[in-house]
Amino acid sequence: MSVNEAISRLTEEQANQEAQQLRTKLKQWATEYYTYDNPSVEDSEYDATYQQLVELETAFPTIIVPDSPTQAVGDNTLPEFTKVRHEFQMLSLGDVFSTTELSEFIQRLITQGVKPEFNCELKIDGLAISLRYENGLLVQGSTRGNGQIGEDITKNLKTIPSIPQKLTKPIDIEVRGECYMPKSSFVKLNEQRQADGLEPFANPRNAAAGSLRQLDAKVTAKRKLSTFMYNVADYSDLQATTQSELLAELATLGFQINDTYAVVDDMDDIDAFISKYQEQRDDLSYGIDGIVIKVNDLATQMSLGNTVKVPRWAIAYKFPPEEAETIVRDIEWTIGRTGVVTPTAIMDPVTLAGTTVARASLHNPDYLIQKDIRIGDTVKLHKAGDIIPEISAYIASKRPADSQVYVIPDICPSCGSELVHLDEEVALRCINPKCPAQLTEGLAHFASRDAMNIDGLGPKIIQQLFDKQLVNDVAGLYTLSFDNLITLNKFGEKSANNLLTAINNSRSNSLERLLYGLGIRHVGAKAARLIAQHFGSMAAIMAASADEIALIDTMGEVIADSVVTYFKTIEAQALIVALDEVGVNMNYLGPTSAKLAATDSSFNGKRVVLTGKLQAFSRATATEWLENHGAQVSSSVSKKTDLVIAGADAGSKYTKAQELGIEIWDESRFEATMNSEE
Ligand code: IVH
């Protein structure tokens, strides 16, 4: 019996009940997804449930209620943000899931007399944003919210490099598009979150949304977000008469657009565009979840208009979820350097979206319990955010009769000590500082490139050094002899000598490498560099209070507390003494100011003028910082000026810069860029 047949057998009351249940589910999922950026089901499950509701409501129109998810978008805004009323509603898109449905949509338009000219675009997996410019200057940026009312996230959006603060023309315009997180940043962010014991983001869209909807714009600035703009609220000030021209015009105004678009005139070409990008999807550096097909002529778009929620002139073709089935053979627990214990499902290898997959992270015990995954289960796999293999669910009908609930270990698989949850963490941790698994991971980190950079000291060698009890902490590396190393498996004279030299050379590294190499929670390579630079020596860092550390630019309390807590432990103090005794350098040897970053800096070689009153720092500090980052700071604006940074009450220099069409930043953008470049 087909779904439609099943529906036609329902009484109106049954249909009503069923619809109510679907609505409750959909509303909860939408809140998790849109408001909290933390979905509990796959997009495809949401889409399928939504379709079921559409079918029920189509068969029984009397059961439709105004607050049904098919009729209205719920309130997706967080109370912490100021609300913005969109003067022009921010629409969503209708979805289709097959080319047959898509062809019907296109055919309907053609029968209505629409000229068959369509612009095909990629459907970016991000979140919709709106940017309002007055006189060519960015005045407000917001989220979609429910389409009528969104959240004011101006400060956060100003930290995104692809968003122009000033357009190439002084026009009033409201531009819409997508803010997204590139796949590589998404993977890195999730790895970091996992190491910090935090829940990973489900996909780049949720990661982007979570990063944008931050009260602290500094957090957003660090998250490497980007944008593609594709729409405007009102065309009257523009030259474009088609969607494809609009994209080109947006690019000339200074926006980043996605240039993978094509104007086509029949269903065959639409199909070809879909197939091409469905295939290339995994190779793109950002996530896409479908193709958007838009009537190209803007006047026709206007005359077709919108339904309550979606335009009649555009539709989204959603890619089918790429899935595979396989069997879970084991659940492996690995201990990270910070003691976080992570479960991984070991499965029969299968091909999924072009790659062979045999392992999938189960993130943390809560996740494993919630999904109720057991050894022997047949599971459905997908790629989260197009990249990371993840188990969607087990297949109930294929669960063996003798299946047992998986028991979460309560002792560390490496050292046998009791596992704990710290604070509110979802992660399970081994807190034994002598745990061999943590120590080997810690040693690998110590030797890694950004830390002590000891070439040739990989995980296999480290494991052997531990197993043979030649080393039991990082200081032990420095007492290794040639005779010790030659006993290692596959180690000849040459490799032993090379490793000894690499270890020896690392003694004279500058302090920031050692500080990072210690693996103090929350202290990344950049933070380590700033702390080392500020205090100059290990002794000074160990004597510093959390307040003193937190005073360093961009440092914050979390890092400061973590440093102080670390050095308070007797183990850490003993380790530093031991490292000192074996001759590891304890002083900062780099440049004393931020000069190191000059060549990497976006300010390098630029002529910059400061004007107006800066709130956060003095003119002298800003000048020094800019000069250290390779800029030339001058006092008057001329044609040669590259950038004007304008504080409060900026006067004639500001006006002159505007006349000359020179890029103007406000203080918050400057601050955000400083923070992101440190
Ligand atoms: S057009 C009235 N074009 O998909 C214009 N939307 O599922 C409506 N999206 O809310 C949007 N890429 O956030 C359009 N090339 C694209 C898009 C796109 C991604 C998002 C957008 C929209 C959602 C609907």
Side-chain angles (χ1 to χ4, degrees):
M1 189 165 51
S2 75
V3 180
N4 284 337
E5 269 176 74
I7 288 178
S8 68
R9 286 171 195 228
L10 295 176
T11 64
E12 186 170 311
E13 197 185 318
Q14 284 169 329
N16 194 21
Q17 270 181 11
E18 174 81 20
Q20 270 314 345
Q21 281 173 8
L22 296 179
R23 288 178 195 132
T24 311
K25 267 201 227 173
L26 287 167
K27 281 182 194 167
Q28 189 199 328
W29 292 343
T31 309
E32 289 166 354
Y33 186 91
Y34 288 111
T35 312
Y36 297 106
D37 307 320
N38 185 19
S40 64
V41 295
E42 290 307 310
D43 291 3
S44 52
E45 186 169 353
Y46 180 93
D47 288 342
T49 311
Y50 186 94
Q51 274 320 105
Q52 257 178 302
L53 179 60
V54 170
E55 277 163 25
L56 270 175
E57 289 181 346
T58 317
F60 297 93
T62 50
I63 65 171
I64 299 179
V65 285
D67 75 340
S68 172
T70 59
Q71 308 297 306
V73 184
D75 181 7
N76 302 321
T77 58
L78 284 170
E80 296 89 306
F81 291 97
T82 313
K83 303 290 171 282
V84 173
R85 176 169 285 281
H86 299 300
E87 194 189 335
F88 296 90
Q89 193 188 348
M90 280 183 85
L91 298 165
S92 170
L93 284 171
D95 291 326
V96 290
F97 298 90
S98 68
T99 44
T100 321
E101 282 174 275
L102 176 58
S103 173
E104 283 165 15
F105 174 85
I106 299 291
Q107 215 41 55
R108 257 197 317 275
L109 287 173
I110 295 174
T111 355
Q112 284 168 38
V114 171
K115 181 173 116 198
E117 188 182 289
F118 303 96
N119 195 45
C120 299
E121 298 173 18
L122 303 184
K123 188 172 182 312
I124 313 298
D125 193 12
L127 79 155
I129 53 164
S130 187
L131 305 171
R132 199 156 59 75
Y133 291 80
E134 279 173 13
N135 219 357
L137 297 178
L138 177 60
V139 290
Q140 190 172 63
S142 51
T143 62
R144 182 172 74 187
N146 67 359
Q148 322 268 357
I149 294 173
E151 296 147 320
D152 186 333
I153 50 162
T154 315
K155 268 191 168 177
N156 301 356
L157 287 171
K158 281 190 172 175
T159 68
I160 301 178
S162 64
I163 295 182
Q165 315 275 309
K166 180 172 183 286
L167 304 180
T168 52
K169 286 190 193 140
I171 52 172
D172 290 357
I173 192 173
E174 188 161 343
V175 182
R176 269 94 192 252
E178 208 72 2
C179 175
Y180 67 93
M181 182 177 285
K183 288 178 188 170
S184 55
S185 318
F186 169 70
V187 172
K188 275 197 204 129
L189 177 63
N190 267 359
E191 281 170 3
Q192 184 58 50
R193 287 178 71 85
Q194 199 129 329
D196 289 346
L198 298 170
E199 193 89 60
F201 284 112
N203 53 47
R205 189 249 163 231
N206 293 110
S211 306
L212 260 190
R213 298 163 80 206
Q214 284 283 342
L215 293 177
D216 182 357
K218 280 185 190 158
V219 177
T220 315
K222 293 199 169 120
R223 294 280 176 89
K224 309 259 184 293
L225 298 171
S226 194
T227 55
F228 287 129
M229 305 310 285
Y230 47 67
N231 199 17
V232 294
D234 175 6
Y235 303 105
S236 39
D237 274 350
L238 299 180
Q239 324 253 286
T241 62
T242 62
Q243 173 67 22
S244 48
E245 285 171 11
L246 173 71
L247 291 175
E249 192 166 353
L250 287 176
T252 61
L253 282 171
F255 294 102
Q256 176 161 277
I257 60 148
N258 186 295
D259 52 17
T260 310
Y261 61 91
V263 181
V264 299
D265 53 18
D266 63 22
M267 199 49 215
D268 284 349
D269 289 346
I270 297 180
D271 274 343
F273 189 91
I274 291 177
S275 312
K276 182 169 174 194
Y277 290 102
Q278 194 159 324
E279 246 168 57
Q280 290 184 11
R281 162 178 197 196
D282 294 324
D283 304 327
L284 296 173
S285 62
Y286 45 87
I288 60 171
D289 59 346
I291 300 294
V292 185
I293 299 102
K294 300 176 179 176
V295 168
N296 201 28
D297 186 61
L298 295 179
T300 315
Q301 286 189 1
M302 297 275 265
S303 67
L304 285 167
N306 316 312
T307 71
V308 267
K309 263 182 75 172
V310 298
R312 291 199 182 84
W313 45 267
I315 195 96
Y317 169 84
K318 288 279 208 73
F319 292 141
E322 291 188 88
E323 282 185 337
E325 266 183 34
T326 184
I327 299 176
V328 176
R329 297 295 177 193
D330 195 8
I331 291 172
E332 186 182 280
W333 293 78
T334 43
I335 301 123
R337 159 169 75 80
T338 56
V340 173
V341 185
T342 311
T344 304
I346 312 297
M347 304 163 299
D348 289 346
V350 273
T351 308
L352 174 66
T355 53
T356 307
V357 174
R359 304 167 64 86
S361 175
L362 296 165
H363 307 303
N364 56 59
D366 284 3
Y367 183 93
L368 175 53
I369 295 166
Q370 188 211 332
K371 295 241 165 181
D372 185 20
I373 292 160
R374 308 177 185 182
I375 293 169
D377 269 347
T378 301
V379 290
K380 256 199 219 154
L381 280 178
H382 69 278
K383 280 198 176 167
D386 273 2
I387 336 170
I388 302 162
E390 197 172 72
I391 295 181
S392 325
Y394 72 88
I395 300 170
S397 61
K398 297 192 178 169
R399 176 166 273 179
D402 60 353
S403 151
Q404 303 274 323
V405 173
Y406 184 80
V407 183
I408 305 290
D410 49 13
I411 57 166
C412 172
S414 171
C415 69
S417 57
E418 200 186 331
L419 296 174
V420 296
H421 284 281
L422 291 182
D423 312 323
E424 305 281 287
E425 282 186 351
V426 286
L428 201 55
R429 273 181 199 272
C430 168
I431 50 167
N432 170 14
K434 296 248 158 10
C435 168
Q438 277 181 67
L439 291 174
T440 44
E441 289 289 323
L443 205 77
H445 171 75
F446 185 82
S448 67
R449 192 139 50 96
D450 287 344
M452 295 300 270
N453 193 20
I454 306 176
D455 213 18
L457 191 59
K460 287 205 179 113
I461 296 168
I462 292 174
Q463 195 57 54
Q464 288 191 63
L465 292 173
F466 264 92
D467 292 347
K468 291 185 188 273
Q469 298 194 332
L470 292 170
V471 161
N472 48 35
D473 64 13
V474 295
L477 281 178
Y478 295 93
T479 52
L480 283 171
S481 66
F482 179 85
D483 292 346
N484 291 148
L485 292 179
I486 203 81
T487 66
L488 300 182
N489 198 7
K490 292 194 188 137
F491 243 62
E493 264 181 40
K494 196 166 168 220
S495 19
N497 277 326
N498 285 348
L499 183 54
L500 274 183
T501 312
I503 293 174
N504 191 33
N505 287 345
S506 76
R507 281 195 171 91
S508 41
N509 281 340
S510 179
L511 176 62
E512 69 278 15
R513 288 185 172 274
L514 172 61
L515 188 59
Y516 173 58
L518 292 174
I520 305 169
R521 263 183 100 193
H522 305 298
V523 180
K526 273 190 188 169
R529 193 182 71 212
L530 288 173
I531 297 172
Q533 204 172 35
H534 185 89
F535 290 102
S537 72
M538 186 62 97
I541 298 173
M542 291 172 79
S545 69
D547 286 347
E548 282 167 320
I549 300 173
L551 273 181
I552 308 175
D553 225 14
T554 74
M555 202 57 60
E557 278 168 32
V558 177
I559 297 180
D561 285 343
S562 182
V563 173
V564 172
T565 312
Y566 177 84
F567 285 117
K568 247 196 226 153
T569 63
I570 297 170
E571 289 87 354
Q573 291 170 10
L575 181 62
I576 300 301
V577 171
L579 284 165
D580 195 21
E581 278 172 359
V582 292
V584 173
N585 167 54
M586 296 284 158
N587 294 309
Y588 177 68
L589 308 172
T592 46
S593 64
K595 267 190 192 122
L596 22 123
T599 46
D600 292 344
S601 168
S602 60
F603 293 98
N604 192 27
K606 292 229 168 116
R607 288 169 198 254
V608 183
V609 173
L610 293 164
T611 178
K613 279 194 211 80
L614 299 176
Q615 317 277 319
F617 22 66
S618 69
R619 188 73 75 84
T621 316
T623 306
E624 186 189 81
W625 190 92
L626 283 164
E627 286 175 351
N628 283 335
H629 284 72
Q632 197 181 320
V633 181
S634 47
S635 53
S636 62
V637 175
S638 77
K639 268 194 291 192
K640 288 189 183 156
T641 309
D642 294 303
L643 173 68
V644 171
I645 296 168
D649 306 324
S652 62
K653 288 183 199 168
Y654 185 95
T655 329
K656 185 152 183 209
Q658 266 188 325
E659 281 165 15
L660 292 171
I662 290 162
E663 189 166 3
I664 305 178
W665 287 10
D666 61 12
E667 186 176 345
S668 65
R669 176 154 188 210
F670 176 47
E671 210 183 335
T673 314
M674 281 172 93
N675 290 337
S676 67
E677 293 194 1
E678 282 167 5

